[in-house]
Amino acid sequence: MTIVVHFHNLQFNNKDPVYIQIAYFVKRQIHLGFAENGDKLPSRREMAALLNVNPNTVQKAFKLMEEEGYVHTTSTQGSTVYTNEAIMKSIEEELTKQLVDDFIKSAKEVSLSIDRVTELLREQWNERE
Amino acid sequence: MTIVVHFHNLQFNNKDPVYIQIAYFVKRQIHLGFAENGDKLPSRREMAALLNVNPNTVQKAFKLMEEEGYVHTTSTQGSTVYTNEAIMKSIEEELTKQLVDDFIKSAKEVSLSIDRVTELLREQWNERE
DNA sequence: CATACTGTACTAATCGAGTAATACAGTAAG
DNA sequence: CTTACTGTATTACTCGATTAGTACAGTATG
């Protein structure tokens, strides 16, 4: 049985480019285990209709995802999710280590110590509605 | 004696807009205590010459800084740093609490727990060249 | 072979942010 | 009064990113 990755719960913000958000969505699906190796992705035109965007915008997302390695495409059979240990690791790196690293950089820029940072983190972690 | 805030150690990156970087620089000078209430800022044209940018770019930075409240301007005497407890607090908020809060948001987006985050922080804090 | 799908390449249009050029209004100092 | 500074308003230019329009090439299916 072919599992098809679906996109009903993808909702766009209006600050990041659409094609980035699409790619990021797929990346997170993979990261969370909701999309696995071999899972089928909708065709460009299907997805465009689904998300109400231009097919070329979708195409740009696919191009990006392919370049980043977690989507494979064949001319006639469309695109599928591609993962293996290395891919999973690199996604994990980007979504966590990279995130943390960028944060550390900013924190140091304003002279925060690690202790102060951890303190603020614990204070603010559950402080959101 | 009039203390003049100086800008020799402001160096631009090429990803953020120049006028944002100028304002951010001043904000950090205040935050670090290097610029205090009443300190004089160079005129638009002076600063433009100093930084090799267009006077209007500088003007845009000043407009922003004034809107954000930590710079005051008079038509003929130029601009000076303005701070008080409230300003200092709001700068502190932006540069720390806001920073942390944005980070928490991103971390939760990729399902990181607070424990995992603190762990990563400690691992990566001193890992930079 | 014809139809209806795939993906792709190329070009054009749009849009907004950032920067720059220029001219104007006011004032302190000589 | 003139000069040389202030800041400011208005307009135009540039540039790049994003999105859109259109046409093309290939293939599986009937």
Side-chain angles (χ1 to χ4, degrees):
Chain A
M1 181 207 169
T2 1
I3 295 175
V4 179
V5 181
H6 38 269
F7 290 80
H8 13 267
N9 42 357
L10 197 195
Q11 46 194 1
F12 298 124
N13 65 51
N14 30 342
K15 69 176 206 284
D16 300 313
V18 170
Y19 78 97
I20 298 278
Q21 294 184 58
I22 294 173
Y24 185 64
F25 177 81
V26 174
K27 198 183 291 180
R28 262 186 308 161
Q29 294 297 103
I30 294 172
H31 182 236
L32 296 172
F34 295 160
E36 292 183 335
N37 187 60
D39 287 358
K40 195 159 174 47
L41 293 162
S43 81
R44 274 65 169 161
R45 291 168 179 83
E46 264 185 279
M47 192 182 293
L50 219 63
L51 303 176
N52 276 312
V53 300
N54 189 283
N56 262 312
T57 301
V58 175
Q59 163 64 6
K60 197 162 181 180
F62 272 96
K63 184 140 185 275
L64 177 59
M65 296 190 285
E66 229 173 319
E67 284 166 1
E68 294 191 337
Y70 51 89
V71 163
H72 278 190
T73 300
T74 66
S75 320
T76 64
Q77 300 303 313
S79 301
T80 55
V81 171
Y82 177 78
T83 54
N84 55 31
E85 257 185 57
I87 302 276
M88 287 302 280
K89 185 173 173 220
S90 89
I91 291 182
E92 167 77 11
E93 296 258 331
E94 180 188 344
L95 295 188
T96 65
K97 292 208 178 46
Q98 192 57 49
L99 176 70
V100 172
D101 205 54
D102 290 347
F103 172 66
I104 290 177
K105 189 176 169 195
S106 307
K108 287 185 173 174
E109 215 172 75
V110 295
S111 304
L112 283 174
S113 71
I114 177 145
D115 292 332
R116 178 70 180 133
V117 166
T118 28
E119 184 181 38
L120 285 167
L121 269 175
R122 293 197 182 285
E123 277 174 27
Q124 294 180 238
W125 189 269
N126 293 315
E127 234 186 40
R128 315 168 52 83
E129 85 278 32
Chain B
M1 180 205 171
T2 0
I3 295 176
V4 180
V5 180
H6 38 269
F7 291 79
H8 12 268
N9 42 358
L10 196 194
Q11 45 193 2
F12 299 124
N13 64 51
N14 31 342
K15 68 176 207 286
D16 300 314
V18 170
Y19 78 96
I20 298 277
Q21 295 184 58
I22 295 174
Y24 185 64
F25 177 80
V26 174
K27 197 183 291 179
R28 262 187 308 160
Q29 294 297 104
I30 296 172
H31 182 235
L32 297 172
F34 295 160
E36 292 183 336
N37 187 60
D39 288 357
K40 193 158 174 49
L41 294 162
S43 80
R44 273 65 168 163
R45 290 168 179 84
E46 266 185 277
M47 192 182 293
L50 218 66
L51 302 175
N52 275 312
V53 300
N54 189 282
N56 261 310
T57 301
V58 175
Q59 163 64 6
K60 198 162 179 181
F62 272 95
K63 183 142 187 275
L64 178 59
M65 295 190 285
E66 230 174 317
E67 284 167 1
E68 294 192 338
Y70 51 90
V71 163
H72 277 190
T73 300
T74 66
S75 320
T76 65
Q77 301 302 313
S79 301
T80 55
V81 170
Y82 177 78
T83 55
N84 54 31
E85 257 186 57
I87 303 276
M88 286 302 281
K89 185 173 174 220
S90 91
I91 291 182
E92 167 77 12
E93 297 258 331
E94 178 187 344
L95 295 188
T96 64
K97 291 208 180 44
Q98 191 56 51
L99 177 70
V100 172
D101 205 53
D102 290 347
F103 172 65
I104 291 177
K105 189 177 169 194
S106 307
K108 286 186 174 174
E109 214 172 77
V110 295
S111 303
L112 283 174
S113 71
I114 178 149
D115 292 332
R116 179 69 181 133
V117 166
T118 28
E119 184 180 37
L120 285 167
L121 269 175
R122 295 197 180 283
E123 278 173 25
Q124 294 181 238
W125 190 269
N126 293 313
E127 235 186 39
R128 314 168 53 83
E129 82 278 33

